[in-house]
């Protein structure tokens, strides 16, 4: 199925529904929830998924697992998705929180094929076998550290979201403390309580996730390092590899 609203097919008696959808640049799916669990795969473009307490950056050719009943919004940047909507009974091992995952070449091809099968596919035929193989593959997906915690406190969350849009590795916590009207020590305590991370750790992770978006859009490593205010591309690349386990160039368009 392609470009079909989930509501039109959600009641079909099948464990897995596959829908492919094309989104215009900068499209925002406002906060919503699904009855089914969802595997949201971006064949192209970058997605940013946000819930009440966290955001996830989803590069091209990766996916995010969204548990059933989870309120979330998705910012689409040149994205064409392949979504699986999964009955909970078919995926009892599904994570309780959103999770970005790597997608193997085999699963990628299965997802592309799944959107072309009939909604009421034959459970005992070729299409049913394809769905069963997809479920086996999903169970073993490797998680990726592409999440960023967000605080509940409104004024601090506003600062965090503004920083996400234009991060700078040189950003000083003293400036945030001044904006909130608190001392540096109080700010550090508030930030750790609100996010579970120190400001420095959170700042670095935010820079990495923004770098993934820039690299996926075609920016060079040198330009990306400069955008984030790193002294040299080498310093940026070293940090990036430590955080993600791979080189920045691996996220550039192929």
């Amino acid at each position: 199925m392609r470009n079909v609203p989930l509501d039109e097919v959600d009641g079909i008696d099948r464990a897995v529904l596959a829908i492919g959808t094309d989104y215009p640049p900068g499209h925002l799916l406002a906060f919503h929830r699904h009855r089914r669990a969802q595997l949201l795969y971006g064949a192209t473009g970058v997605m940013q998924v946000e819930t009440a307490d966290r955001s996830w950056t989803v590069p091209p050719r990766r996916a995010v697992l969204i548990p059933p009943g989870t309120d979330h919004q998705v910012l689409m940047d040149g994205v064409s998705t392949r979504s699986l909507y999964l009955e909970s009974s078919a995926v009892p091992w599904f994570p309780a929180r959103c999770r970005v995952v790597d997608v193997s070449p085999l699963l990628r091809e299965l997802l592309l094929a799944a959107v072309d099968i009939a909604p009421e596919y034959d459970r005992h035929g070729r299409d049913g076998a394809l769905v069963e193989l997809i479920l086996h593959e999903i169970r073993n997906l490797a998680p990726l550290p592409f999440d960023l915690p967000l605080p509940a406190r409104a004024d601090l969350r506003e600062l965090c979201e503004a920083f996400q849009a234009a991060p700078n590795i040189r950003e000083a916590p003293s400036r945030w403390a001044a904006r909130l009207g608190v001392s540096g020590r109080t700010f550090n305590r508030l930030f750790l309580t609100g996010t579970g991370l120190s400001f420095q750790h959170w700042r670095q992770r935010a820079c990495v996730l923004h770098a993934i978006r820039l690299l996926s859009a075609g920016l060079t490593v040198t330009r990306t390092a400069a955008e984030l205010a790193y002294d040299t591309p080498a310093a940026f690349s070293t940090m990036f590899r430590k955080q993600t386990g791979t080189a920045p160039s691996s996220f550039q368009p192929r």
Side-chain angles (χ1 to χ4, degrees), residues 126-142:
R126 179 260 187 192
D127 292 341
L130 186 149
V131 166
E132 287 300 317
L133 182 54
I134 285 175
L135 292 174
H136 282 292
E137 287 296 301
I138 294 173
R139 188 167 189 168
N140 298 310
L141 293 176

Side-chain angles (χ1 to χ4, degrees), residues 44-63:
T44 62
V46 177
M47 297 180 287
Q48 184 171 320
V49 177
E50 187 172 315
T51 65
D53 66 347
R54 198 167 292 260
S55 71
W56 290 261
T57 296
V58 190
R61 301 179 302 280
R62 278 80 171 181

Side-chain angles (χ1 to χ4, degrees), residues 197-228:
L197 299 176
S198 70
F199 178 80
Q200 290 76 13
H201 188 179
W202 187 94
R203 178 184 61 190
Q204 186 176 71
R205 185 179 290 190
C207 285
V208 167
L209 297 179
H210 191 69
I212 288 173
R213 290 191 283 271
L214 297 177
L215 294 164
S216 299
L219 265 68
T220 64
V221 173
T222 298
R223 175 73 182 279
T224 300
E227 288 283 333
L228 298 171

